Amino acid sequence: MNLPTSVRVGYRDFGVEEWDTRQATAAGRYGECDKMNAVLRIETAYGDNKAANTLIHEVLHACYDVAGIEDDDPEERTVTLLANTLAQVIRDNPDLVAYLTAALAPSQQA
């Protein structure tokens, strides 16, 4: 299953790239949000479920950044800003929603 090629988060468009397994392993992560270059890198060798979950995780990092959340913001403010930004991400990215729906669907095997 192919990752979407980009995800719009607020005013920014983040490219989405498959992350080489060797590089991801060396970094000790399944994904990363490169905020400076607006790129989400996702390691896909562990299957669609893990890749989709990792993509959600990295999108939330992008939401955190774009929303301007500060480390000392109260929890309720943080959750509200993330919800507002994530709702916009879902609204603006039908390819992302389609990918996540397919990748996270229950297995059809008995």
Side-chain angles (χ1 to χ4, degrees), residues 7-70:
V7 175
R8 174 167 290 164
V9 181
Y11 68 95
R12 297 189 77 187
D13 291 322
F14 284 78
V16 179
E17 299 176 352
E18 286 192 32
W19 202 10
D20 179 77
T21 300
R22 290 169 293 178
Q23 292 175 333
T25 300
R29 299 189 297 274
Y30 296 106
E32 72 176 8
C33 177
D34 179 346
K35 296 168 192 155
M36 295 296 291
N37 296 302
V39 175
L40 307 177
R41 293 182 185 88
I42 310 299
E43 202 286 325
T44 61
Y46 295 98
D48 293 329
N49 283 344
K50 183 63 178 167
N53 181 274
T54 302
L55 181 55
I56 292 168
H57 179 99
E58 300 309 330
V59 165
L60 286 170
H61 278 295
C63 289
Y64 188 96
D65 183 60
V66 168
I69 297 170
E70 301 290 334

